[in-house]
Amino acid sequence: MQNLTEADEVSKLKRRLKRERGSRHEAEAIAEKGLRELYEREQQLKLIARIATAANHLQSIPDVFQFVLTEICQFTGWLVGHAYGAEANSVPVRLRSMAVWRTVESDSIAEFCCVKQKIDFEAGVGLLGRVYEKRAPVWVSDVTADPSFCRLRVANACGLKAACAFPVLLGNEVAAVLEFFTDKIIEQDDVLLEVMSQVGMQLGRVIERKRAEDRLVHDASHDALTGLPNRALFLDRLGQAIARQERDDREQFAVLFIDLDRFKIVNDSLGHLAGDDLIVQVASRLRGSLRQTDIVARSVYEHGNDTLARLGGDEFTILITAIIDPSDAVRVAQRVQEGLRIPFLIGGQAIYTSASIGIASSATAYSCANDILRDADLAMYRAKALGKARTELYDQDLHSAAVKRLTLESDLRRALADEEFVLHYQPIVSLGNQEIVGFEALVRWQKPDGELVPPSEFIDVTEDTGLIVFLGLWVLREACSTARRLQEEFPRQESLTISINISPRQFSQPDLVAQVRQVITETGIDPRTVRLEITESITAGDAERVVHVLSQLKDIGIRLSIDDFGTGYSSLSYLQRFPLDILKIDRSFVLAMEKSDESLQIIRTIMALATSLGMSVVAEGTEIEGQVSQLKSLGCEFGQGYYFSKPIDAAAIRSLLRGPLHWRAQEGSENGIPTWHDDQMHKLKSLIAPKRTSAA
């Protein structure tokens, strides 16, 4: 009985030991599995961390994808990794090889890669298309058993079996798909797919950041309105062209500087939105004007491509590379001009425009991009000065002229500050009684060394720079002040008048009428003795504003003259509409009237026109007695020119007004009135009308 009991105890102990051993093995297995899973999870996290770190440091998307393919293949032991990019601009969207691979050395796998790289995929087609469509990873345990696998033959040839692919997501957008292959049949690994999904999201953030960076770089180097390269990018590419030519003098190039003519009129009349629309359409036309082999620059730097850029406003530039000689650039300019001849449709209205184009070529051997751009700009301004809608090539004289002009501008600013300007006055004479009825005030620049500079040498610069606004106000005040003193010193039944030129820049100032009213008040001059002279070019602007301003000046009491009539934008409708009092016949018609029947007929027509409109006429440029007599016979009331007097200073004007008048003495001698002694005539003529050396 005792032996049985001991046997039972042993048996029980053995069973307990077996149970404990089994429990221990089970616990060890569980622990081992846990440790293994923990290790695998740790490795997965390390993989994701390595990918994240590399993604933040590598410079390009292909480099990041290459790193990811290598890491995943090493992590899984799979043989092939390949990246496809989604071309969102294509319809339908296509997945195309990015030529980024991770493979093992094998001829058969190399053939597989070669075939794969030539195949594009649409959504829903093949492994890649299914990933794109589902926006989720896809696992195929054995591609040889999947009839939908598109590359079955080459996969069989190189022994590939299992495959998986996952999307790179930016929100809901699939930016790319990464696929992997191995030579074993492997059932779906959900954990691995989860890891790949995380990697896909990580890569999506990398692509999103890279796109944002690219947008910033693009926006910084491109024009927001047209999408063309801006000045900074254009100068960069121009610098590259200069560097290529320095290495090889056969690498010739040229720069076209394009400025639209009359663009401001579109902005002022139709508004800035219409102006922007015109700029966009012009940019499109310019693209079409480039050579067929050229590519409009966006982010392209390849040698041999031309670059079209917008510098700002209505200015465009084109860099033409790989030219034989400047005539290649001229031909491109001709195509630009031809392309702009077709009207633009802006807001349902046909708008015509043209361009002034300047060309500078590398034949000058530039070393600085800004220098060649500057010279092309100078050539463009010469094209504008010569009539617009034309093309001019740069030469060295243009640079010299620009330097001279810049110096002149600086000198004029100093002269204005130092009060170096003076007024001369040219008499306006009644052709009926030969009496002086008034004067025209003409500005001169009296340099410190005594040199007297005529307005023809500086007025255009003051107009372009805006200095004419300040100079014109000074002329207005000084002329009215001098005229008032002359009226007091030489009183007469009809007070002496003063004629003062108003430039287009002055006329455009919003406070012109207020300035004139203030000067009239300050000087105390009778406004009825003031004549303001405008040119015909002013009438080509905003007609409503012109009428309004002229009417306000008339309300002050001022009389209005139109200067150089017949040489500008003459329009009978303007003469009828504008409240003008006096027509001044341009001197070119007067000088030619004795030799040209056409000029004589023009003067007759102007006289008839003035009579019908109730306007007085002043003939400018009267230089000889025959002209005066002929003008008088045509009914012209007043004359102004060197026959009577050159422009003279205020002191000489006083001597002239004290008399006698030399032209009356000449006329008297022909009618039996005693003539002056020769020495008296010589002295008076030397004072009043010596030989002319410059235009008045």
Side-chain angles (χ1 to χ4, degrees), residues 485-657:
R485 290 194 294 269
L486 291 175
Q487 291 169 354
E488 291 174 347
E489 292 178 39
F490 302 95
R492 53 181 66 187
Q493 186 175 358
E494 293 288 338
S495 296
L496 292 169
T497 64
I498 184 68
S499 297
I500 305 163
N501 292 285
I502 299 295
S503 77
R505 192 74 171 262
Q506 271 184 284
F507 193 84
S508 67
Q509 299 304 303
D511 58 347
L512 172 66
V513 176
Q515 288 181 353
V516 172
R517 187 179 286 112
Q518 181 180 353
V519 169
I520 295 294
T521 301
E522 289 176 356
T523 59
I525 193 171
D526 184 348
R528 293 172 297 179
T529 64
V530 177
R531 281 89 170 101
L532 296 184
E533 298 188 4
I534 64 173
T535 60
E536 292 179 76
S537 61
I538 290 176
T539 66
D542 182 352
E544 294 296 332
R545 181 184 179 278
V546 173
V547 171
H548 179 68
V549 172
L550 294 181
S551 298
Q552 286 184 303
L553 293 172
K554 288 281 288 186
D555 291 341
I556 297 174
I558 289 171
R559 299 190 71 193
L560 302 170
S561 304
I562 186 160
D563 199 13
D564 301 331
F565 185 75
T567 62
Y569 302 89
S570 304
S571 170
L572 297 182
S573 63
Y574 285 159
L575 287 180
Q576 289 179 312
R577 188 176 182 186
F578 296 157
L580 300 170
D581 303 292
I582 302 164
L583 287 182
K584 299 192 76 173
I585 302 175
D586 185 70
R587 64 190 307 273
S588 61
F589 299 125
V590 175
L591 293 175
M593 62 184 298
E594 290 188 310
K595 299 178 180 179
S596 169
D597 291 338
E598 182 181 355
S599 294
L600 182 60
Q601 187 58 45
I602 289 174
I603 292 176
R604 285 198 181 99
T605 302
I606 293 174
M607 292 301 307
L609 178 63
T611 300
S612 65
L613 295 175
M615 301 172 69
S616 301
V617 177
V618 177
E620 296 181 299
T622 51
E623 297 194 352
I624 59 177
E625 184 178 354
Q627 293 168 347
V628 173
S629 300
Q630 199 164 13
L631 287 167
K632 183 177 179 181
S633 68
L634 292 174
C636 184
E637 301 168 83
F638 306 101
Q640 175 185 347
Y642 275 61
Y643 174 75
F644 302 109
S645 171
K646 70 168 187 175
I648 51 180
D649 61 23
I653 284 293
R654 288 181 171 86
S655 298
L656 186 63
L657 288 172

Side-chain angles (χ1 to χ4, degrees), residues 47 284 439 463 599:
L47 171 66
S284 179
F439 304 91
E463 181 78 17
S599 294

Side-chain angles (χ1 to χ4, degrees), residues 117-129:
Q117 190 156 312
K118 297 177 181 178
I119 302 176
D120 297 345
F121 294 88
E122 296 180 7
V125 177
L127 174 64
L128 297 169

Side-chain angles (χ1 to χ4, degrees), residues 218 221-222 226-229 233 237 287 295-301 306-308:
H218 181 276
S221 59
H222 288 74
T226 63
L228 295 176
L233 181 53
R237 297 188 183 177
R287 287 188 186 98
I295 298 175
V296 176
R298 212 178 356 253
S299 58
V300 182
Y301 286 84
D306 296 348
T307 299
L308 166 64

Side-chain angles (χ1 to χ4, degrees), residues 46-105:
K46 286 183 178 180
L47 171 66
I48 294 173
R50 288 197 302 274
I51 290 173
T53 301
N56 289 327
H57 289 87
L58 294 173
Q59 297 298 314
S60 70
I61 297 299
D63 287 345
V64 173
F65 280 15
Q66 183 68 69
F67 181 85
V68 171
L69 293 175
T70 300
E71 285 292 315
I72 291 179
C73 285
Q74 289 178 349
F75 180 79
T76 61
W78 289 32
L79 303 180
V80 178
H82 184 204
Y84 272 76
E87 295 190 346
N89 294 330
S90 62
V91 180
V93 175
R94 302 189 68 83
L95 295 167
R96 182 162 294 169
S97 173
M98 296 175 62
V100 179
W101 294 88
R102 167 63 165 85
T103 65
V104 296
E105 293 291 337

Side-chain angles (χ1 to χ4, degrees), residues 259-361:
D259 187 272
L260 298 184
D261 301 324
R262 298 178 297 278
F263 175 71
K264 186 176 184 298
I265 296 176
V266 176
N267 263 345
D268 292 345
S269 59
L270 300 181
H272 289 279
L273 288 179
D276 288 349
D277 191 4
L278 178 59
I279 289 295
V280 171
Q281 292 191 40
V282 167
S284 179
R285 295 269 184 96
L286 293 180
R287 287 188 186 98
S289 300
L290 297 182
R291 296 172 294 183
Q292 291 182 355
T293 57
D294 300 332
I295 298 175
V296 176
R298 212 178 356 253
S299 58
V300 182
Y301 286 84
E302 292 87 359
H303 168 50
N305 293 332
D306 296 348
T307 299
L308 166 64
R310 182 190 179 210
L311 298 192
D314 59 343
E315 293 179 341
F316 296 85
T317 51
I318 299 177
L319 168 61
I320 305 175
T321 58
I323 65 173
I324 304 302
D325 57 54
S327 64
D328 292 333
V330 172
R331 281 189 285 273
V332 173
Q334 289 171 344
R335 287 202 297 272
V336 169
Q337 299 284 19
E338 291 169 3
L340 295 179
R341 288 195 182 101
I342 304 171
F344 296 86
L345 191 62
I346 308 294
Q349 183 174 347
I351 301 296
Y352 290 84
T353 190
S354 58
S356 298
I357 303 175
I359 298 176
S361 77

